[in-house]
């Protein structure tokens, strides 16, 4: 690859561009002069030709390299006696936030663009730590008598490492996550011959477009790509046709489409409004119809129970059936509590439906009941009532058994695999088989350490296919329900996001990503256990991006437990140098997975010159029930020690880390962990807490989900019966021990962890005279979603770490200049 690199670390020194990509000349002709003057009374000039546009990136694909001479100028000829455009390009990147002046000088007419935005010939440029493309569009005219002599320099205001090259070496950054193409879902036709693959193309400024491809599964051949009907189409349960709804003369119409011929058929008119399930025999639809509950006044509102604060809580949903042959629309369930369809039997005779009720006096504060409805007789069989920790149930192929998901506590704890004295972490997913004849249950995954996220009981081969958290991976497994044997599928990604299995064929489609690649779509032969790549989104999304290496690294904690983790190195890593390090953890229930595209992408921080270390401490799901149960009633007791020890051992074993420049970051429970860690150690030079919990008592009682999450994290512990936990483990009650510069970030309308959690910690540290900053992101909830707000939020984190870990305060000071009120 042709490369030219100029790197400079000196204040008030010029970086001179010595090589350019060049494309041209491209002749441009004067317009026909219908009049000598235009509507504004002006004559035509040669500079008007510069308004002609040209596709920079397209013409640069055929570019050559031009070298500057000893005067740092580059020359190129025009077209003899003709007007022509010329395109020159180079890339600039900085390893830090820097301001400077980009100066392009030449005798003729030209325009300068930075990342496709027009700038002045001598322009003040603020560079963040990323790659910028500079393009110069130059006009030579028929009057020119000598070659062009063009010169470009960049002069920084402060010491900076500026790299100039002719080919991009882009850094992985936030826009790589916010923008670009991604999968929305995948669905196979019942016979496995066709696949619907849905996409979203995310654009700048919160814009996006969605489209769907219909493809042949064996070849990956795209039959049609459309933003119209196919974008909302679904597969019929068994007839290998697509269906969708549209607005017709008589209201909502239900239409089927044959993917082989694209012949349409109108199935029903004037359908009821609402979402529906198709029966397997395709004769009726089951609707979920919502009914509005009683309303209170708008100024003074009586709250009846904790969940009554949630929008829409008083509404209820009930099941209705729409018969496609007669148009009969009848209500199947009625009552005080909502009813939900779990599944419909293969012969379309039986419906599994569930109800739930709140029970605030004991964990888990809700109970569910499951019923079997015979649609022929309307008889109802109660399978269980007021059960705890049960999720969804689905039929087996023959309809004689149910596959049930829940936690180890489900069915009176028959699936528990924890130590005596432990309380189960109910976020650890387990599977059970329930026999409809004898109403007996067996635990399917009791001795299976991965935590089950999703499971499908295949109608084709009778096997159960499941997606599960396996440490920091998310993998596919197949379970034989007759003997309980579970085996992994030979899939090709670290983190599988979604999958679809055909009803009557051994075909599966799935997509996922790994530590250094974006999502990729595969077909999978369930008989041969073999994957075939269909579509690699990385090829386009990660073009010209260089990643540093990723290595697994684990250590043994004080109690002999192996704590798994990994670390990310910066691109162009030099083992002889000392690097600042960022430690990331969730520290709660879910593992820190190996996906590239996540909110706190480790590669994003590594690209800015940090070593990034992440670990999965005690309490994390995916490592077995006993390991996950350590999360309960701990709130940092063990986890903090493991993070501290892991960080210290990592530095000891890796001398390329500057142990005096270590930062840490976490969000939600991880934000709590950031705050709590600073009460236990001065190891960190900077800390970032997003939406962190500072006081367990206020979090437990205020947010929408606090008491529910606490039913797991501090099971059976409350402020009135375990004040030691609520006080001693709350960072707020230990704020005087915090010495680390702490950045608090919070969404202004966070309904999960209320913003008061950051406010009270901020107030405490201010009163104590500690170094603390507080950034409130207006209008945002638990996660920052708005495009511009997300960038500003992320830049605040980057700038904070740059200030404290790299001794580069300029970015932070530019974002938040000092003020006295």
């Amino acid at each position: 690859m042709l490369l030219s690199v100029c790197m400079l670390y000196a204040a008030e020194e010029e970086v001179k561009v010595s090589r350019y990509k060049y494309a041209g000349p491209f002749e441009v002709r004067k317009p026909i002069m219908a009049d000598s003057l235009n509507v504004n009374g002006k004559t035509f000039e040669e500079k008007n030709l510069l308004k002609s546009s040209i596709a920079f990136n397209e013409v640069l694909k055929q570019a050559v390299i031009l070298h500057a001479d000893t005067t740092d100028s580059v020359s190129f000829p025009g077209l003899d006696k003709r007007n022509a455009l010329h395109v020159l390009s180079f890339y600039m990147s900085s390893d830090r936030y820097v301001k400077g002046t980009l100066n392009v000088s030449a005798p003729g007419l030209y325009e300068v663009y930075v990342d496709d935005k027009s700038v002045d010939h001598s322009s003040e440029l603020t560079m963040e730590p990323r790659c910028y493309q500079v393009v110069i569009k130059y006009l030579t005219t028929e009057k020119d008598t000598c070659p062009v002599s063009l010169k470009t320099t960049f002069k920084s205001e402060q010491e900076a490492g500026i790299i100039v090259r002719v080919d991009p070496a882009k850094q992985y950054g936030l826009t790589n996550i916010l923008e670009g193409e991604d999968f929305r879902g995948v669905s196979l036709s019942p016979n496995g011959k066709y696949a619907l693959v849905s996409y979203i193309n995310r654009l700048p400024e919160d814009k996006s477009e969605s489209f769907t491809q219909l493809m042949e599964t064996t070849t990956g051949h795209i039959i049609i790509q459309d933003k119209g009907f196919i974008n909302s189409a679904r597969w019929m349960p068994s007839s290998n046709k697509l269906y969708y709804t549209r607005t017709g003369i008589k209201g909502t119409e239900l239409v089927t489409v044959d993917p082989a011929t694209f012949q349409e058929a109108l199935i029903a008119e004037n359908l009821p409004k609402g979402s529906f399930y198709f029966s397997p025999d395709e004769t009726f639809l089951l609707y979920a119809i919502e009914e509005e509950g009683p309303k209170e006044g708008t100024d003074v509102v009586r709250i009846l129970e904790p969940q009554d604060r949630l929008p829409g809580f008083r509404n209820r949903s009930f099941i209705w059936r729409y018969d496609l042959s007669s148009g009969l629309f009848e209500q199947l369930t009625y009552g005080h509590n909502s009813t939900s369809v779990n599944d419909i039997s293969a012969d379309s005779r039986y419906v599994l439906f569930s109800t739930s009720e709140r029970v605030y006096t004991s964990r888990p504060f809700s109970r569910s009941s499951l019923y079997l409805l015979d649609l022929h007789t309307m008889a109802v069989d109660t399978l269980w009532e007021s059960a705890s920790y049960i999720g969804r149930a689905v039929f087996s192929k023959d309809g004689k058994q149910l596959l049930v998901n829940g936690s180890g506590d489900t069915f009176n704890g028959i699936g528990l695999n924890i130590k005596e004295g432990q309380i189960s972490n109910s976020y650890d997913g387990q599977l059970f088989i329930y026999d409809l004849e004898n109403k007996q249950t067996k635990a399917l995954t009791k001795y299976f350490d991965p935590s089950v996220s999703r499971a499908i009981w295949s109608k084709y081969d009778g096997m159960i296919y499941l997606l599960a958290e396996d440490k920091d991976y998310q993998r596919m497994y197949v379970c034989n329900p007759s003997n309980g044997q579970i085996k992994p599928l030979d899939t090709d990604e670290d983190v599988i996001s979604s999958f679809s299995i055909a009803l009557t064929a051994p075909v599966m489609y799935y997509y996922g990503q790994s530590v250094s690649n974006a999502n990729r779509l595969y077909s999978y032969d369930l008989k041969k256990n073999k994957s075939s790549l269909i579509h690699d989104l990385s090829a386009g999304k990660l073009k010209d991006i260089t990643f540093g290496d990723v290595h697994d690294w684990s250590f043994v904690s004080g109690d002999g437990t192996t704590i798994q983790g990994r670390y990310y190195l910066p691109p162009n890593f030099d083992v002889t140098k000392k690097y600042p390090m960022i430690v990331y953890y969730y520290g709660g229930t879910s593992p820190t997975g190996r996906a590239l595209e996540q909110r706190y992408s480790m590669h994003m921080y590594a690209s800015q010159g940090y070593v990034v270390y992440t670990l999965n401490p005690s309490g994390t799901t995916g490592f077995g029930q006993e390991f996950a149960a350590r999360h309960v009633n701990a709130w940092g007791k063990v986890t903090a020690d493991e993070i501290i020890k892991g960080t210290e051992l990592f530095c000891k074993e890796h001398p390329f880390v500057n142990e005096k420049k270590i930062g840490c970051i976490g969000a939600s429970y991880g934000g709590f962990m950031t705050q709590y860690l600073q009460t236990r150690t001065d190891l960190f030079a900077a800390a970032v807490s997003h939406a962190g919990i500072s006081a367990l008592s206020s979090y437990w009682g205020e947010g929408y989900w606090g008491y529910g999450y606490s039913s797991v994290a501090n099971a059976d512990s409350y402020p009135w019966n375990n004040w030691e936990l609520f006080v001693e483990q709350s960072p707020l009650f230990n704020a005087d021990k915090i010495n680390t510069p702490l950045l608090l970030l919070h969404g202004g309308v966070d309904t999960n962890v209320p913003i008061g959690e950051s406010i009270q910690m901020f107030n405490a540290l201010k009163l104590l005279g500690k170094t603390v900053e507080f950034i409130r992101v207006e209008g945002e909830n638990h996660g920052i979603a708005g495009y511009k707000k997300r960038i500003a939020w992320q830049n605040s984190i980057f700038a904070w770490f740059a200030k404290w870990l790299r001794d580069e305060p300029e970015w932070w000071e530019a974002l938040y200049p000092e003020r006295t009120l």
Side-chain angles (χ1 to χ4, degrees):
M1 181 175 68
L2 291 171
L3 246 206
S4 175
V5 177
C6 176
M7 192 165 184
L8 198 63
Y9 283 97
E12 299 300 329
E13 288 285 343
E14 287 185 330
V15 176
K16 300 172 182 178
V17 180
S18 59
R19 295 177 108 188
Y20 301 78
K21 272 191 171 181
Y22 169 80
F26 303 97
E27 183 179 4
V28 287
R29 291 171 289 186
K30 291 182 180 180
I32 302 299
M33 298 298 173
D35 293 293
S36 58
L37 300 177
N38 69 6
V39 70
N40 294 311
K42 295 182 178 180
T43 60
F44 183 85
E45 300 177 80
E46 276 75 11
K47 67 180 182 180
N48 294 88
L49 295 173
L50 200 56
K51 295 178 181 179
S52 303
S53 62
I54 191 167
F56 296 148
N57 289 333
E58 287 300 314
V59 299
L60 287 169
K61 290 178 181 179
Q62 308 299 323
V64 297
I65 305 300
L66 295 184
H67 299 259
D69 58 23
T70 55
T71 66
D72 303 312
S73 298
V74 66
S75 298
F76 50 90
L79 282 175
D80 186 34
K81 302 299 182 183
R82 286 177 288 173
N83 305 304
L85 289 177
H86 309 257
V87 179
L88 298 94
S89 173
F90 61 91
Y91 295 86
M92 288 201 315
S93 59
S94 172
D95 67 348
R96 66 195 68 193
Y97 179 91
V98 63
K99 292 183 177 180
T101 302
L102 177 68
N103 186 67
V104 180
S105 59
L109 300 169
Y110 57 94
E111 294 175 343
V112 182
Y113 298 84
V114 177
D115 285 351
D116 292 325
K117 293 182 180 179
S118 178
V119 300
D120 293 335
H121 298 172
S122 181
S123 178
E124 296 297 316
L125 186 63
T126 298
M127 296 181 65
E128 297 172 1
R130 64 178 181 86
C131 183
Y132 294 79
Q133 183 184 27
V134 180
V135 174
I136 303 164
K137 182 173 69 171
Y138 198 98
L139 175 69
T140 54
T141 72
E142 58 190 18
K143 297 177 182 179
D144 293 343
T145 58
C146 58
V148 177
S149 179
L150 182 143
K151 182 177 181 180
T152 306
T153 62
F154 180 78
K155 186 175 183 180
S156 61
E157 293 182 0
Q158 70 265 11
E159 183 176 314
I162 305 296
I163 298 176
V164 178
R165 48 180 109 215
V166 293
D167 287 306
K170 297 179 181 177
Q171 295 160 285
Y172 190 75
L174 183 59
T175 54
N176 297 105
I177 300 172
L178 293 180
E179 300 173 15
E181 201 170 81
D182 205 353
F183 300 114
R184 285 191 303 127
V186 59
S187 177
L188 294 182
S189 61
N191 62 4
K193 185 176 180 180
Y194 302 103
L196 279 179
V197 183
S198 298
Y199 296 80
I200 183 169
N201 187 21
R202 297 186 181 92
L203 306 169
E205 306 297 333
D206 276 328
K207 297 177 182 177
S208 66
E209 59 180 8
S210 299
F211 62 93
T212 299
Q213 293 175 343
L214 174 66
M215 62 175 60
E216 295 176 344
T217 56
T218 54
T219 64
H221 170 68
I222 299 171
I223 300 171
I224 185 175
Q225 177 171 307
D226 193 16
K227 300 177 184 178
F229 84 93
I230 202 171
N231 221 21
S232 60
R234 300 291 183 267
W235 292 108
M236 297 284 282
S238 59
S239 61
N240 299 303
K241 292 182 179 180
L242 296 165
Y243 74 87
Y244 71 98
T245 59
R246 68 188 181 197
T247 301
I249 297 175
K250 297 182 179 180
T252 303
E253 298 177 341
L254 178 61
V255 181
T256 62
V257 181
D258 187 333
T261 63
F262 284 94
Q263 182 176 353
E264 291 191 350
L266 180 63
I267 300 300
E269 297 178 296
N270 198 23
L271 284 180
K273 294 181 180 180
S275 59
F276 59 80
Y277 304 83
F278 241 113
S279 65
D281 64 3
E282 303 179 359
T283 63
F284 64 86
L285 311 174
L286 289 186
Y287 276 79
I289 301 298
E290 187 173 272
E291 298 179 5
E292 287 193 3
K295 297 184 182 297
E296 298 280 349
T298 56
D299 296 326
V300 179
V301 179
R302 178 190 179 198
I303 303 299
L304 299 177
E305 57 181 275
Q307 282 194 301
D308 196 20
R309 296 179 299 145
L310 278 65
F313 166 73
R314 295 188 180 189
N315 298 342
R316 299 292 185 264
S317 178
F318 298 100
I319 304 168
W320 290 63
R321 176 172 62 174
Y322 181 87
D323 186 84
L324 288 168
S325 62
S326 66
L328 175 65
F329 189 49
E330 59 180 337
Q331 187 170 0
L332 298 182
T333 61
Y334 180 91
H336 179 73
N337 294 320
S338 292
T339 55
S340 302
V341 175
N342 280 227
D343 199 12
I344 308 174
S345 61
D347 60 5
S348 298
R349 177 170 179 174
Y350 298 97
V351 174
L352 283 173
F353 73 91
S354 59
T355 64
S356 64
E357 57 183 339
R358 283 84 55 211
V359 181
Y360 294 110
T361 54
S362 62
R363 288 190 302 119
F365 307 136
S366 67
R367 304 287 186 270
S368 65
S369 302
L370 187 72
Y371 305 95
L372 183 67
L373 170 63
D374 186 335
L375 292 175
H376 290 185
T377 65
M378 292 302 289
V380 176
D381 184 11
T382 300
L383 303 183
W384 57 74
E385 279 189 305
S386 299
S388 302
Y389 301 105
I390 292 184
R392 188 166 178 256
V394 296
F395 285 107
S396 61
K397 179 181 179 180
D398 59 10
K400 295 180 179 180
Q401 295 175 310
L402 303 180
L403 177 65
V404 184
N405 65 52
S407 73
D409 292 295
T410 303
F411 298 112
N412 297 315
I414 65 170
L416 286 175
N417 183 18
I418 56 179
K419 292 180 179 179
E420 185 177 351
Q422 283 187 314
I423 298 176
S424 171
N425 182 339
S426 58
Y427 290 122
D428 188 274
Q430 300 294 316
L431 293 178
F432 304 84
I433 290 182
Y434 179 90
D435 190 283
L436 285 169
E437 183 177 358
N438 59 32
K439 297 190 176 181
Q440 297 296 307
T441 309
K442 67 177 180 180
L444 200 60
T445 53
K446 181 174 182 176
Y447 302 105
F448 179 63
D449 282 345
S451 174
V452 179
S453 306
R454 182 187 169 204
I456 290 180
W457 203 329
S458 171
K459 301 299 188 289
Y460 171 73
D461 58 11
M463 305 298 276
I464 297 171
Y465 293 89
L466 53 102
L467 182 64
E469 295 172 346
D470 183 4
K471 301 180 174 64
D472 57 350
Y473 292 80
Q474 186 151 286
R475 290 172 164 149
M476 289 285 305
Y477 296 86
V478 58
C479 172
N480 186 332
S482 62
N483 58 23
Q485 188 177 32
I486 302 175
K487 296 180 179 179
L489 297 183
D490 189 20
T491 49
D492 286 352
E493 296 295 341
D494 292 348
V495 179
I496 296 174
S497 303
S498 184
F499 70 94
S500 178
I501 295 176
L503 182 69
T504 61
V507 181
M508 179 175 77
Y509 258 45
Y510 71 91
Y511 61 84
Q513 55 187 272
S514 298
V515 289
S516 299
N517 66 268
N519 276 321
R520 297 190 280 215
L521 177 69
Y522 298 84
S523 66
Y524 192 92
D525 189 317
L526 292 172
K527 282 188 174 181
K528 297 180 180 179
N529 294 320
K530 182 180 180 182
S531 290
S532 299
L533 180 64
I534 300 297
H535 189 184
D536 179 8
L537 293 181
S538 291
K541 293 183 73 171
L542 305 180
K543 187 176 183 295
D544 300 320
I545 290 176
T546 301
F547 289 115
D549 292 337
V550 182
H551 300 277
D552 292 332
W553 186 82
S554 302
F555 70 94
V556 178
S557 68
D559 65 358
T561 302
T562 297
I563 303 300
Q564 178 267 347
R566 61 188 184 277
Y567 64 96
Y568 296 68
L569 296 175
N572 306 310
F573 172 74
D574 184 347
V575 72
T576 65
K577 293 182 178 180
K578 288 279 190 179
Y579 291 87
M581 184 168 78
I582 295 172
V583 180
Y584 174 75
Y585 38 77
Y586 173 53
T589 293
S590 300
T592 303
R594 301 174 69 90
L596 168 67
E597 296 176 329
Q598 52 181 297
R599 185 167 294 270
Y600 296 92
S601 176
M602 270 60 82
H603 270 305
M604 183 171 63
Y605 291 93
S607 72
Q608 295 200 12
Y610 299 100
V611 173
V612 182
Y613 168 49
T614 186
L615 69 161
N616 286 305
S618 291
T620 310
T621 56
F623 292 78
Q625 290 188 55
E626 187 280 326
F627 194 89
R630 301 180 189 185
H631 176 66
V632 183
N633 280 317
W635 283 96
K637 285 181 180 177
V638 178
T639 307
D641 290 339
E642 291 173 348
I643 294 172
I644 293 168
K645 182 174 182 180
T647 302
E648 291 175 338
L649 287 176
F650 187 90
C651 293
K652 185 177 180 180
E653 293 187 17
H654 302 91
F656 51 77
V657 173
N658 183 346
E659 59 187 17
K660 296 189 180 301
K661 294 293 184 180
I662 303 173
C664 60
I665 184 172
S668 195
Y669 190 101
F672 154 81
M673 186 55 62
T674 289
Q675 296 180 32
Y676 181 70
L677 279 169
Q678 312 324 307
T679 70
R680 297 286 306 279
T681 182
D682 292 332
L683 174 65
F684 301 103
V688 176
S689 167
H690 173 75
I693 300 159
S694 64
L696 304 189
S697 56
S698 53
Y699 165 70
W700 168 84
E702 291 182 359
Y704 282 0
W705 323 114
Y707 78 92
Y709 179 78
S710 296
S711 72
V712 180
N714 34 285
D716 297 326
S717 292
Y718 303 97
W720 53 87
N721 69 5
N722 192 352
W723 65 267
E724 294 92 346
L725 174 72
F726 280 82
V727 172
E728 293 179 9
Q729 299 309 117
S730 292
L732 181 65
F733 292 96
N734 297 277
D736 58 325
K737 301 181 181 70
I738 296 178
N739 298 310
T740 308
L742 176 62
L743 173 61
L744 303 165
L745 304 112
H746 223 115
V749 291
D750 193 332
T751 56
N752 187 340
V753 179
I755 193 172
E757 293 301 312
S758 286
I759 292 172
Q760 56 192 358
M761 177 56 77
F762 176 71
N763 290 345
L765 295 179
K766 277 295 185 181
L767 294 177
L768 288 164
K770 307 286 186 171
T771 302
V772 62
E773 294 281 357
F774 177 29
I775 305 298
R776 181 180 64 207
V777 189
E778 301 293 351
E780 293 291 321
N781 207 306
H782 198 51
I784 310 304
Y787 183 88
K788 289 183 178 179
K789 294 176 184 178
R790 178 87 177 269
I791 292 174
W793 169 81
Q794 185 64 71
N795 283 344
S796 298
I797 297 172
F798 288 154
W800 184 254
F801 281 139
K803 177 178 180 177
W804 295 103
L805 303 186
R806 297 169 61 99
D807 296 322
E808 298 168 9
E810 294 85 4
W811 200 352
W812 180 266
E813 291 170 357
L815 292 174
Y816 306 106
E818 284 295 324
R819 287 193 178 95
T820 56
L821 302 179

